[in-house]
Amino acid sequence: MSQSDSFDADVLVVGAGPAGLALGAALADAGLHALLLEQQPQVALEDPPEDGREIALTHRARRVMDALGLWSRIDPSEIAPLNEARVVDGGSPQVLHFGRGSGERDGAHRGGAQPLGWLVPNHRIRQAAWAAATARPGVQVLCDARVDAVEREAQRATVTLADGRRLAAPLLVAADSRFSATRRLAGIGAAMHDFGRSVVVGRVGHAQPHAGVAWECFGYGNTLALLPMNGQRVSAVVTLPADRAPQWLALSDAEFAARIEAQAEGRLGAVHAAGPRHHYPLVGVYAQRFVSHRFALIGDAAVGMHPVTAHGWNFGVYGVEVLARELAAQRRCGGDIGGPRALQAYEREHRHTTLPVWLGTNAIVTLFTDERRMPKLARRAVLTVAERAPGLSRLLKAGIERQLTGGGVAGAAPH
Ligand SMILES: Cc1cc2nc3c(=O)[nH]c(=O)nc-3n(C[C@H](O)[C@H](O)[C@H](O)COP(=O)(O)OP(=O)(O)OC[C@H]3O[C@@H](n4cnc5c(N)ncnc54)[C@H](O)[C@@H]3O)c2cc1C
């Protein structure tokens, strides 16, 4: 045992989703022993099925994934560059551009040749995270292990599993999804924003090349995002009032493709279905605190974003980087890794990074999904002013691109 014989690990992590696994890998690289507790069986983690999520990754997320050995474990044929994003509202001819097609100045801002980001299927990220974490001797994953209770004393955190086993460490980290039961067991509340909407997502093939362009089409009735994948395929993400999701799920493949083709307004040419449809209710979550006594939250358990600004996993990776860095610093100076110093530093930095985007995302979603006349006029004005007023346009785009490259706080991204 690393700290004391009475501990089962340096850090107990609840949840072996991508955030928990990436944290395990980062802690192992810092010389810490991480024990991950996951309720699902091993087979669901090592070979997860396609789940319809295409994750837009920022430059910073890629850098961290590279350092942890996740990036090199993803087949390059599954990584699609995101060259440009375009936003359109209803039938308006106004298009807001981000990235390569948005003018020389923006290209110069990003050094010209770099894509805005990359799109990678979520199940490939999960698979890579599993392989990277379990390749490290410092990471142990206990599957079929559901955490049912949490106790914290002065020097330790202890969990009780559904089968009665008890495990202890100086620090407990919850990475058990946006509806984290462990967060609640630790007495931390969360702001929850139920958008009353769902996404229905499915891959489609199409006749015309997409050129690495993502489209966000804010229509009236539903929103359609078209996310470029490698080859002549996009992920079609339909955001709609939750009560209409069953109807979209019940469509035949041909009916679904016809609707996407019509709403894409000729941008992709003829469309056909190229995979199953999946469905996610949209609930955003922001924890009131990210840390408490011998306890920290990471991944969606800390910040569960609406996918429109494509930040959920990106924030998960940023959090992993910061928490692991602070714990490693404590370990190097012989400090208590479960003590308040490292945890508070993580809390400060992660909140500073995520809170403005959380608030901004919710405001964008509210504005762009409100079907009343005034909000419709307001969003048309936002797009027009953003595209035509050079100063504002530059500021807005620079902020958004900074977000995509992982360099700061601000606005929206595609999805
Ligand atoms: C449609 C959609 C599109 C998205 N697009 C993007 C995007 O473009 N960019 C982006 O950055 N993000 C995106 N996201 C968000 C991203 O998918 C999530 O942020 C990420 O998957 C969360 O990972 P996680 O490890 O925090 O949580 P999860 O993947 O939810 O993992 C939690 C794990 O904890 C386990 N668990 C739960 N409770 C317990 C317990 N009591 N005991 C033991 N184990 C437990 C679960 O079994 C699970 O394995 C999108 C999400 C959706 C729904």
Side-chain angles (χ1 to χ4, degrees):
M1 303 303 140
S2 302
Q3 277 212 330
S4 149
D5 284 347
S6 63
F7 292 134
D8 296 285
D10 293 316
V11 183
L12 291 174
V13 181
V14 187
L21 289 164
L23 180 67
L27 294 176
D29 290 350
L32 295 162
H33 171 208
L35 175 53
L36 276 61
L37 308 166
E38 168 58 52
Q39 63 187 2
Q40 295 186 72
Q42 182 167 330
V43 62
L45 303 177
E46 58 189 7
D47 190 16
E50 190 260 316
D51 59 18
R53 301 185 199 188
E54 299 300 320
I55 304 294
L57 295 162
T58 65
H59 290 243
R60 177 175 171 189
R62 177 183 171 153
R63 180 174 53 70
V64 181
M65 288 170 70
D66 229 348
L68 295 178
L70 270 68
W71 194 262
S72 60
R73 286 180 161 87
I74 299 171
D75 187 328
S77 70
E78 300 270 20
I79 302 172
L82 175 59
N83 295 326
E84 192 187 332
R86 298 182 191 165
V87 181
V88 289
D89 178 49
S92 164
Q94 194 64 51
V95 179
L96 185 58
H97 295 256
F98 302 99
R100 282 182 184 166
S102 63
E104 254 175 271
R105 265 193 313 243
D106 300 308
H109 166 71
R110 291 180 295 105
Q114 287 283 328
L116 272 176
W118 297 268
L119 284 149
V120 177
N122 189 50
H123 70 295
R124 296 300 178 206
I125 294 176
R126 292 181 57 198
Q127 200 175 33
W130 170 265
T134 54
R136 287 158 160 94
V139 180
Q140 201 186 338
V141 187
L142 219 53
C143 292
D144 302 301
R146 194 183 77 227
V147 170
D148 269 357
V150 170
E151 283 163 55
R152 285 167 300 151
E153 295 160 282
Q155 300 302 323
R156 61 170 52 219
T158 306
V159 298
T160 306
L161 304 182
D163 63 10
R165 275 178 291 174
R166 285 165 60 82
L167 299 157
L171 177 65
L172 173 65
V173 178
D176 55 344
S177 87
R178 66 188 63 205
F179 302 114
S180 170
T182 315
R183 180 178 67 214
R184 173 164 277 272
L185 289 169
I188 297 181
M192 291 207 182
H193 192 131
D194 187 341
F195 295 94
R197 298 192 150 241
S198 291
V199 292
V200 172
V201 51
R203 295 175 175 185
V204 296
H206 46 89
Q208 288 176 20
H210 54 54
V213 175
W215 287 91
E216 182 76 56
C217 312
F218 290 103
Y220 302 136
N222 66 263
T223 298
L224 173 65
L226 300 168
L227 307 177
M229 304 174 65
N230 280 337
Q232 303 257 118
R233 287 180 312 157
V234 296
S235 169
V237 186
V238 181
T239 306
L240 71 180
D243 60 344
R244 288 187 22 224
Q247 190 213 349
W248 276 77
L249 289 166
L251 295 174
S252 69
D253 281 355
E255 288 166 334
F256 178 68
R259 284 198 186 184
I260 300 302
E261 186 176 322
Q263 294 195 7
E265 296 179 334
R267 291 175 183 111
L268 300 173
V271 167
H272 63 271
R277 259 159 279 154
H278 301 267
H279 161 236
Y280 295 95
L282 291 177
V283 181
V285 177
Y286 200 92
Q288 284 164 358
R289 284 176 291 151
F290 296 156
V291 302
S292 74
H293 179 68
R294 301 212 167 265
F295 184 75
L297 296 167
I298 200 131
D300 276 15
V303 184
M305 296 287 294
H306 185 295
V308 72
T309 49
H311 270 103
W313 163 246
N314 288 297
F315 281 168
V317 178
Y318 301 172
V320 163
E321 184 183 37
V322 176
L323 182 58
R325 184 190 71 212
E326 295 301 330
L327 297 179
Q330 277 303 298
R331 168 46 54 97
R332 275 198 307 277
C333 70
D336 175 1
I337 58 159
R341 200 186 176 109
L343 299 185
Q344 280 164 9
Y346 162 65
E347 162 95 37
R348 268 193 308 276
E349 187 169 335
H350 201 45
R351 189 166 293 273
H352 176 79
T353 306
T354 56
L355 188 58
V357 184
W358 155 262
L359 294 172
T361 298
N362 293 350
I364 288 168
V365 171
T366 304
L367 177 66
F368 278 88
T369 55
D370 193 325
E371 311 261 320
R372 288 171 303 168
R373 190 166 166 272
M374 285 311 287
K376 277 185 188 175
L377 289 174
R379 64 190 186 234
R380 194 157 291 189
V382 166
L383 290 185
T384 306
V385 170
E387 193 59 21
R388 293 202 186 143
L392 179 61
S393 169
R394 209 164 45 243
L395 202 67
L396 184 71
K397 289 178 181 179
I400 290 168
E401 291 187 14
R402 213 169 41 246
Q403 266 304 300
L404 285 164
T405 51
V409 288
H415 207 291

